[in-house]
Amino acid sequence: MSSHYEAPIRKPLIIGDKNYHDVTVDVARPVEGRANKQWWIAFSIALAAFLWGVGCVAYTVGTGIGTWGSNKTIGWAWDITNFVWWVGIGHAGTLISAVLLLFRQKWRMAINRSAEAMTIFSVIQAAMFPVFHMGRPWLAYWVMPIPNQFGSLWVNFNSPLLWDVFAISTYLSVSLVFWWTGLLPDFAMLRDRAITPFTKRVYSIVSFGWSGRAKDWQRFEEVSLVLAGLATPLVLSVHTIVSFDFATSVIPGWHTTILPPYFVAGAIFSGFAMVNTLLIIMRKVSNLEAYITIQHIELMNIIIMITGSIVGIAYITELFVAWYSGVEYEQYAFLNRATGPYWWSYALMMTCNVISPQVMWFKKIRTSIYVSFVISIVVNIGMWFERFVIIVTSLHRDYLPSSWTMFQPTFVDAGFFIGTIGFFFVLFLLYSRSFPVIAQAEVKSIMKTSSETYKKKWASEGHGHDNHSHSENNHH
Amino acid sequence: MSNKVIHVLYNDDDILMDAVKKTRAAHHHIEEIYTPFPVHGLDKAMGLAPTRLAICAFLYGLVGLSVATSMMWFIMIQDWPQDIGGKPSFSYIQNMPAFVPVMFEMTVFFAAHLMVITFYMRSKLWPFKDAENPDVRTTDDHFLMEVAVHGDVDQMVSFFEGTHAVEVKVIEKH
């Protein structure tokens, strides 16, 4: 059929002899089955870490911020490092669901649902740091411009920390409705398959009575497209605004105009690494290897390589500008990063972020699942250190040598961070057992163009003349 | 007027598209089509009017921008024009660069959320809404076309059986 013509060079995105019903069954299986022992072990570990984090936060709020390792010179350390790290991880989800939608990338279909879930869960983790790093978190509602009995006393719209409030809350809420709207047809699929009255009821409520009418689909697609068009500048603006927390300051090492695009590139870099970490495990555990193929992993690795190179250029640019500026404070800030007491964290950041993604130039490496998994974790360690280096090394030595000091985190700093990792995995593990982890309606819509079954069929019907070998190459 | 409808089920989107074209050519009225995934070009083949949700989103965005601008103008310039770190608060335009992030975010916030709410209201979707697809297979792998009955029922049934349908049912609608 000519309406389904696709260049024979493109590899199939759905492997194996699948039809529409097989997609339904494969996506529904992890939800309809029972959790195995490994799931319960992973869930228990994550829950324990989460509860430990709750304890550390309760201790911080009850006793005071002095339980942390921050001091008079270094007011921001692990709190904001972790905040920026989590926000950054969240960005890949929107990139995959919005930017790749605008670019009509069909390979996004199998991964967008989980990437968006990752966005939402990591932005939730991120949002806790701005609240609990406050000295008086019970007055956090004062950041809202709400009319009040003090005159009215308002907020100051000059502060990037207030812009953060608007950026993060817009980002979280828009990502949530984008994700949920996309979930409606898939929840409806689970609802219509449900056997027990309880699951029927639950999926009826969450699917909002989705019936799949032609008009509903027409509106659905328009809404998805407009939301993608809105989410793309949103995702760029959110990390830009997060970078303004540093870029608008007067601190040498922070005051740079390169920070907004450089933070966004770093966010995509670390976010795609996290997507790779999660999906490499998920495709195996949930038996979704036919949908999340080695080609998906390779394409994500290519994006990691590109954004890693952008981050590398940004590092070199910063160094060049520091030397070129003739500002001794700026020059010292970078000399201190490279050779000061935190040289090891700078070296770790450079190794993980600049060198590790460059191995992806080799096809053997970027198509290896094991190497991809290791690199994806290395990248997230490197990106954590990037934020740590930017924040702590710029603060611990700046204008007045009499204010120079060191930073030593306490167990409460670590506990809060571990708690957010635990909370993230609690949410992600619950999600993977109760949500359709692949957007099955979207995967079905690319079946005719991108599945192995149909590619073979079109090839045998004789579309083009050099397309008889492509399907043989792709049994990985 | 008869209140009977015919439910024609297909198991392939290309067959459905051909059937829609044939049905329209034969002047049968398609009441509704239920599909498990978006079938591209189906709305055009059915002759559905384009949706205006994008226009709504644009207008909602303008509302968001106006709300942000008037809020910050009132708070920062009109109500308490204080000196916070030497920032000029004599007029909106003087301190405008500092207001851009919030103006942008509120534009996106209003456009996105109000459009989604409009979509939910227009398509009648909400948490306790009952599903209205007549056959559960339409969220899995079947495509259902609902056609109003006019004239000879048997003739219509045989017409639809000739469109590669997997099932044709005559339904009494109340």
Side-chain angles (χ1 to χ4, degrees):
Chain A
M1 280 176 205
S2 56
S3 61
H4 295 302
Y5 177 75
E6 197 180 59
I9 197 166
R10 294 193 182 275
K11 295 176 190 170
L13 292 167
I14 303 162
I15 305 280
D17 191 21
K18 302 281 182 191
N19 60 29
Y20 294 139
H21 185 63
D22 294 332
V23 178
T24 307
V25 172
D26 289 341
V27 173
R29 191 187 304 112
V31 180
E32 290 169 350
R34 297 189 74 85
N36 60 15
K37 205 173 160 191
Q38 281 93 329
W39 187 91
W40 282 108
I41 292 169
F43 184 74
S44 307
I45 296 169
L47 190 67
F50 170 44
L51 293 175
W52 172 243
V54 171
C56 287
V57 170
Y59 178 49
T60 305
V61 175
T63 311
I65 288 293
T67 56
W68 292 1
S70 307
N71 53 47
K72 280 197 294 180
T73 299
I74 303 155
W76 278 356
W78 275 42
D79 48 350
I80 301 301
T81 300
N82 298 333
F83 162 69
V84 181
W85 188 72
W86 275 119
V87 176
I89 285 173
H91 276 45
T94 315
L95 255 296
I96 288 168
S97 56
V99 179
L100 298 184
L101 174 70
L102 295 183
F103 286 108
R104 304 279 182 229
Q105 294 295 306
K106 287 178 181 155
W107 62 277
R108 63 177 271 283
M109 304 289 188
I111 55 172
N112 64 349
R113 175 68 40 75
S114 295
E116 288 166 37
M118 185 196 74
T119 293
I120 288 158
F121 302 150
S122 54
V123 175
I124 290 171
Q125 308 315 320
M128 285 196 288
F129 289 99
V131 174
F132 292 112
H133 91 309
M134 289 182 176
R136 302 180 194 85
W138 49 90
L139 298 180
Y141 70 96
W142 283 12
V143 303
M144 301 295 191
I146 307 165
N148 52 62
Q149 74 274 42
F150 304 113
S152 288
L153 189 62
W154 304 112
V155 288
N156 161 29
F157 282 96
N158 290 316
S159 168
L161 300 182
L162 186 68
W163 308 341
D164 268 347
V165 173
F166 281 83
I168 301 292
S169 51
T170 303
Y171 186 48
L172 180 60
S173 64
V174 172
S175 300
L176 194 66
V177 295
F178 194 5
W179 186 53
W180 205 271
T181 306
L183 274 160
L184 296 180
D186 294 2
F187 279 145
M189 176 274 283
L190 290 174
R191 170 198 72 207
D192 287 348
R193 282 174 59 83
I195 303 154
T196 68
F198 176 72
T199 49
K200 188 106 192 155
R201 184 85 188 121
V202 169
Y203 289 114
S204 292
I205 294 170
V206 294
S207 65
F208 289 15
W210 176 266
S211 306
R213 292 184 180 90
K215 189 71 190 176
D216 293 348
W217 280 119
Q218 185 202 40
R219 292 192 184 120
F220 177 92
E221 295 222 281
E222 179 104 337
V223 164
S224 306
L225 196 61
V226 175
L227 278 181
L230 289 167
T232 301
L234 179 63
V235 73
L236 301 182
S237 79
V238 169
H239 223 63
T240 293
I241 291 174
V242 168
S243 83
F244 284 164
D245 294 348
F246 311 102
T248 63
S249 73
V250 295
I251 305 291
W254 281 10
H255 185 78
T256 31
T257 51
I258 201 175
L259 279 195
Y262 149 42
F263 265 47
V264 172
I268 301 165
F269 180 53
S270 69
F272 269 82
M274 190 60 127
V275 173
N276 240 353
T277 311
L278 296 172
L279 289 186
I280 285 171
I281 300 171
M282 182 183 264
R283 69 195 287 274
K284 190 87 193 154
V285 181
S286 300
N287 286 318
L288 297 168
E289 283 140 317
Y291 306 98
I292 303 166
T293 67
I294 191 77
Q295 200 196 339
H296 289 85
I297 295 171
E298 185 184 358
L299 288 164
M300 285 195 279
N301 281 334
I302 291 172
I303 293 182
I304 289 172
M305 178 179 81
I306 294 168
T307 49
S309 304
I310 297 173
V311 168
I313 289 171
Y315 290 168
I316 297 163
T317 308
E318 274 194 323
L319 286 172
F320 171 76
V321 171
W323 165 77
Y324 188 65
S325 70
V327 179
E328 56 192 341
Y329 297 106
E330 187 77 6
Q331 288 169 343
Y332 182 72
F334 284 88
L335 191 69
N336 179 47
R337 280 186 192 177
T339 62
Y342 292 109
W343 69 270
W344 52 273
S345 58
Y346 185 71
L348 203 58
M349 150 190 142
M350 279 292 190
T351 317
C352 295
N353 296 349
V354 183
I355 297 164
S356 81
Q358 299 306 323
V359 301
M360 298 300 185
W361 287 99
F362 301 99
K363 191 168 174 89
K364 258 216 157 60
I365 290 180
R366 70 169 182 266
T367 51
S368 155
I369 292 178
Y370 296 102
V371 179
S372 305
F373 186 73
V374 172
I375 298 276
S376 71
I377 289 169
V378 166
V379 164
N380 267 314
I381 294 171
M383 285 307 292
W384 190 89
F385 274 100
E386 182 200 288
R387 280 67 179 248
F388 177 81
V389 164
I390 292 172
I391 294 169
V392 171
T393 65
S394 305
L395 287 176
H396 87 122
R397 289 184 177 177
D398 61 358
Y399 293 113
L400 287 177
S402 58
S403 301
W404 287 9
T405 184
M406 290 293 286
F407 167 75
Q408 182 77 49
T410 66
F411 81 92
V412 193
D413 281 302
F416 190 4
F417 181 43
I418 292 164
T420 55
I421 294 173
F423 192 15
F424 176 82
F425 280 103
V426 163
L427 292 171
F428 200 83
L429 285 163
L430 289 173
Y431 151 81
S432 68
R433 300 270 327 121
S434 51
F435 279 55
V437 295
I438 285 182
Q440 51 92 27
E442 293 192 74
V443 167
K444 285 173 185 169
S445 73
I446 59 164
M447 186 64 111
K448 287 276 172 76
T449 53
S450 308
S451 76
E452 201 182 357
T453 324
Y454 280 94
K455 276 183 174 289
K456 273 187 187 157
K457 208 175 138 203
W458 304 143
S460 64
E461 283 173 13
H463 286 283
H465 22 264
D466 56 344
N467 56 352
H468 47 268
S469 63
H470 67 274
S471 44
E472 281 94 51
N473 305 333
N474 301 308
H475 295 285
H476 296 287
Chain B
M1 184 67 197
S2 158
N3 50 1
K4 276 184 183 161
V5 290
I6 296 180
H7 282 178
V8 196
L9 279 130
Y10 300 93
N11 60 3
D12 187 279
D13 42 334
D14 292 317
I15 296 171
L16 171 79
M17 286 293 278
D18 291 341
V20 169
K21 284 169 197 155
K22 279 184 204 159
T23 310
R24 297 243 310 160
H27 297 291
H28 296 304
H29 177 66
I30 300 172
E31 300 250 317
E32 196 57 80
I33 293 180
Y34 299 88
T35 65
F37 60 83
V39 179
H40 294 285
L42 180 64
D43 51 343
K44 285 213 174 65
M46 285 171 71
L48 292 181
T51 170
R52 291 162 294 181
L53 280 167
I55 300 165
C56 294
F58 179 76
L59 298 175
Y60 297 145
L62 291 181
V63 172
L65 184 61
S66 322
V67 169
T69 310
S70 45
M71 173 183 74
M72 287 187 289
W73 172 80
F74 175 72
I75 290 173
M76 297 298 290
I77 310 297
Q78 181 62 31
D79 205 21
W80 299 76
Q82 296 202 101
D83 184 340
I84 303 161
K87 288 269 194 173
S89 54
F90 307 105
S91 70
Y92 192 81
I93 198 71
Q94 277 182 312
N95 204 10
M96 204 273 284
F99 303 144
V100 169
V102 172
M103 285 156 71
F104 176 84
E105 296 298 329
M106 287 186 73
T107 308
V108 171
F109 185 92
F110 275 63
H113 287 293
L114 292 178
M115 176 188 62
V116 169
I117 291 167
T118 309
F119 164 58
Y120 284 0
M121 284 166 62
R122 290 288 289 149
S123 284
K124 299 192 171 60
L125 301 165
W126 54 81
F128 292 92
K129 175 80 190 302
D130 288 325
E132 286 163 353
N133 48 332
D135 193 307
V136 290
R137 289 173 294 174
T138 62
T139 54
D140 180 356
D141 60 349
H142 278 65
F143 305 79
L144 189 150
M145 181 162 70
E146 189 176 289
V147 185
V149 168
H150 63 103
D152 185 8
V153 178
D154 297 332
Q155 206 184 343
M156 283 184 78
V157 169
S158 63
F159 170 80
F160 286 113
E161 275 165 352
T163 58
H164 303 286
V166 289
E167 211 176 301
V168 181
K169 289 186 287 188
V170 182
I171 305 278
E172 194 77 40
K173 234 190 172 174
H174 303 289

